[in-house]
Amino acid sequence: SKMTVKAVKMPCTSANVYTKVPDGGWGWTVAFAFFVVEALTYGIIKSFGVFFNDLMESFDETNSRISWIISICVFVQTFTAPLSTVLSNRFGHRLVVMAGGLLVSTGMVIASFARSVVDMYVTIGVLSGLGYCLSFLPTVTILSQYFDKRRSLVTAVASTGECFAVFSFAPAITALKEQIGWRYSMLSVGVLQLGITACGSLLRPIVIREQEEVKAQPPEESTETKYMLENEQTCTSIESIDSGVDITTSPSNVPGKTKAEPKSEEPKQHGQNPVENNSTPPEPKTKLLDFSVMRDYSFICYAFFGLFATLGFFAPSLYIIPLSRSLGIGKDHSAYILSAMAIAEVFGRIFAGWVLNKKPIRKIYIELICVVLLSVALVAFPFASGFWGLMICSVYFGFMLGTVAGTHIPLLAEDDVVGIERMSSAAGVYVFIQSLAGLAGPPLAGVLVDTTKNYSSAFYSCAAGMVLGAMFLALVRPCKTGLCHHHQQHQQQQQVEESTAGPPPELPDDFIDMDIGKAEHSGKGSDSV
């Protein structure tokens, strides 16, 4: 119990301690918090397209320059992902998310008073972007720790918060702009985003006691101290071996051996039974950020998938309203198209979570199928004509986007990628790699639109990135299989070397030393059992 208390001893936090992953409990409250955080982060980012034409008219800027607002925001959000991981491991998820909520709200409120697009770059791009990172990533990470069997389904359902936000925010903000203007509408959105801070207060850290005991390799000092005290009470030591006390009754009487040969005890410290370390808590060895995942070829391929797939995540939501307006569709009907896309994304996320929750299934292959179908949806947009044609494409795209967007980060916890043990660091590195695409995606689409004078070209660039992402995703499983075979061969080689190794050198023919040697061998035998 002392070990558990020390492992979770952080300011302003109280941990939930379980003997195994609860698959529920306080996790349902964390899932609700993630739902709201999704709505107030990605939901607002995807709804930002309703301000697009207003900003172009107010600041007299081009599509490309206005697109840089969200581009910088997404870049900062993803580029600072390792910082979010480090701060979460140092101060806990709760404080980090609460601080992120304050930054998000502050940036959006200040942006409502901006006088140029450069002011928007700083407020929404940098300030709110950093807040989005500190809010979203720790929330999805701690939610994955509360669930195991239901992880895919719960994460997918909770991630629908952004879809409901787009569905409700797009028409609401559009109507609000008609009444009070875009500036006060943006101010209202900033005040609403203070809800992220309230959600952050619900994120209690979780401690799995059995995993802590298995992971912590206990030093033998606590056991040695115990038997040294025993020896002091029985007046037994290495010098009083001849007192008649049987040395084998105290298997760790080797502290006398430790005095003579301190280096010989090092190998035994790593083989000690972890159950015996309850008297002295081990020192925490958690790394703030583990870049060892970069040596995993399957993770590298998965990171490149995220890099290129990000090109197709945000641009369609930003350009669907300008595309509909260019086709002669009114403001109200354009907002309905964006809302329909959000509704379809809800069903896509729930469907993906339900499918991935099935046991006999390889989740990485299901993700690959969804990415391929999402690429087809992006290609279909330029061929749409009229309100209903664009509506059908939007619904299809929204459904397929939901199957990918709601699962690509939680899939890091699967053994095909990195596993739940390294998910926290892997998520930070993964989102960090996505930052390049988040920075280049919307401006690239904006440049193509300004060059071709056609909004359809933006969707072609998104489709190209998604196809490249599908190619790298297809390589994840083969890379993981190859690494596993290599690891098994390495283990087999070590076993062969250990079996062929000769016996240890003979000890000197001294009665006391031979008895100590026997005691040491018997102690090792009991440890191995």
Side-chain angles (χ1 to χ4, degrees):
S1 60
K2 292 182 179 178
M3 177 189 66
T4 304
V5 171
K6 185 173 183 179
V8 298
K9 191 174 181 181
M10 293 181 181
C12 301
T13 59
S14 57
N16 289 327
V17 182
Y18 297 92
T19 57
K20 63 179 182 178
V21 179
D23 261 328
W26 189 258
W28 298 117
T29 304
V30 177
F32 171 76
F34 180 57
F35 178 90
V36 179
V37 169
E38 275 270 359
L40 298 179
T41 54
Y42 280 102
I44 297 298
I45 292 176
K46 290 187 175 181
S47 302
F48 195 78
V50 299
F51 294 107
F52 212 80
N53 291 329
D54 298 296
L55 297 179
M56 290 176 61
E57 295 175 1
S58 298
F59 299 140
D60 192 21
E61 296 288 354
T62 62
N63 283 282
S64 178
R65 287 181 60 84
I66 297 298
S67 298
W68 275 102
I69 298 175
I70 292 299
S71 179
I72 295 174
C73 178
V74 174
F75 172 75
V76 173
Q77 176 189 4
T78 52
F79 185 81
T80 55
L83 174 64
S84 174
T85 300
V86 170
L87 293 177
S88 298
N89 291 335
R90 177 64 181 85
F91 300 105
H93 298 80
R94 174 182 292 173
L95 293 179
V96 174
V97 173
M98 293 176 67
L102 291 176
L103 289 176
V104 169
S105 178
T106 302
M108 190 66 69
V109 169
I110 297 177
S112 63
F113 300 98
R115 295 301 175 184
S116 66
V117 68
V118 177
D119 296 338
M120 289 281 188
Y121 294 162
V122 176
T123 54
I124 295 180
V126 178
L127 194 59
S128 293
L130 178 60
Y132 286 137
C133 177
L134 299 181
S135 302
F136 171 76
L137 197 57
T139 310
V140 69
T141 301
I142 194 172
L143 178 62
S144 298
Q145 296 173 2
Y146 270 95
F147 292 90
D148 182 17
K149 297 178 181 179
R150 302 173 180 174
R151 183 187 300 134
S152 298
L153 180 60
V154 172
T155 306
V157 174
S159 66
T160 59
E162 68 177 83
C163 309
F164 284 106
V166 175
F167 169 71
S168 57
F169 288 168
I173 295 175
T174 301
L176 193 62
K177 287 192 306 178
E178 300 294 332
Q179 300 295 326
I180 60 177
W182 71 266
R183 290 187 180 274
Y184 286 106
S185 299
M186 189 173 291
L187 177 64
S188 302
V189 171
V191 174
L192 182 63
Q193 287 179 314
L194 279 175
I196 297 175
T197 303
C199 293
S201 64
L202 301 176
L203 303 182
R204 292 182 183 175
I206 179 174
V207 174
I208 307 299
R209 181 173 298 172
E210 290 182 355
Q211 291 182 358
E212 289 287 343
E213 291 178 357
V214 171
K215 287 180 182 178
Q217 297 294 340
E220 199 175 344
E221 294 154 356
S222 60
T223 333
E224 290 178 357
T225 304
K226 171 184 175 182
Y227 286 108
M228 288 175 68
L229 292 174
E230 175 188 334
N231 293 337
E232 290 178 2
Q233 293 174 358
T234 58
C235 298
T236 305
S237 64
I238 190 66
E239 291 83 4
S240 62
I241 274 295
D242 295 330
S243 62
V245 179
D246 188 2
I247 192 171
T248 59
T249 59
S250 191
S252 288
N253 242 342
V254 192
K257 178 92 171 175
T258 307
K259 290 182 182 180
E261 298 175 9
K263 295 183 180 180
S264 64
E265 274 303 299
E266 292 296 329
K268 292 186 63 179
Q269 292 181 3
H270 299 285
Q272 192 71 20
N273 191 349
V275 180
E276 298 181 1
N277 74 325
N278 291 334
S279 60
T280 303
E283 293 295 330
K285 299 180 180 180
T286 304
K287 294 182 179 180
L288 295 180
L289 186 62
D290 185 8
F291 278 101
S292 64
V293 293
M294 294 299 296
R295 297 195 295 266
D296 194 332
Y297 293 151
S298 61
F299 173 77
I300 293 175
C301 291
Y302 197 83
F304 275 108
F305 149 69
L307 176 68
F308 291 107
T310 304
L311 293 174
F313 281 169
F314 295 100
S317 299
L318 291 176
Y319 284 98
I320 187 64
I321 290 181
L323 176 62
S324 61
R325 295 296 303 276
S326 67
L327 296 177
I329 301 174
K331 292 183 179 180
D332 295 336
H333 288 79
S334 299
Y336 293 151
I337 293 175
L338 187 60
S339 298
M341 181 189 297
I343 295 176
E345 188 175 346
V346 172
F347 289 99
R349 289 172 182 265
I350 296 176
F351 175 77
W354 176 75
V355 171
L356 294 178
N357 200 48
K358 299 296 181 181
K359 278 295 181 184
I361 198 170
R362 183 66 66 183
K363 298 180 181 181
I364 201 74
Y365 293 152
I366 300 299
E367 185 82 355
L368 177 59
I369 295 174
C370 294
V371 171
V372 172
L373 295 177
L374 182 58
S375 304
V376 175
L378 289 169
V379 175
F381 270 104
F383 298 96
S385 60
F387 173 77
W388 288 109
L390 202 57
M391 176 68 77
I392 293 174
C393 290
S394 298
V395 170
Y396 175 52
F397 171 79
F399 182 85
M400 298 314 306
L401 178 63
T403 61
V404 177
T407 56
H408 70 109
I409 292 181
L411 274 182
L412 289 168
E414 299 299 323
D415 293 334
D416 283 338
V417 189
V418 295
I420 187 63
E421 293 81 6
R422 296 190 295 169
M423 182 192 174
S424 180
S425 294
V429 178
Y430 172 75
V431 178
F432 169 78
I433 294 175
Q434 283 185 290
S435 63
L436 298 178
L439 178 66
L444 175 62
V447 170
L448 292 176
V449 170
D450 292 336
T451 303
T452 62
K453 306 300 181 182
N454 188 352
Y455 285 101
S456 298
S457 57
F459 294 87
Y460 284 128
S461 65
C462 296
M466 196 65 66
V467 170
L468 288 175
M471 294 172 60
F472 281 101
L473 184 61
L475 297 175
V476 172
R477 175 63 182 168
C479 288
K480 192 67 174 182
T481 305
L483 287 178
C484 288
H485 289 330
H486 177 73
H487 183 65
Q488 290 177 357
Q489 291 176 358
H490 182 66
Q491 285 184 341
Q492 292 176 357
Q493 183 179 359
Q494 284 184 343
Q495 292 177 358
V496 170
E497 291 177 356
E498 290 177 359
S499 63
T500 56
E506 293 292 335
L507 295 174
D509 291 330
D510 182 83
F511 179 76
I512 297 179
D513 291 340
M514 289 296 291
D515 282 348
I516 296 176
K518 290 179 182 179
E520 180 179 1
H521 287 304
S522 63
K524 289 184 178 179
S526 62
D527 289 343
S528 62
V529 173

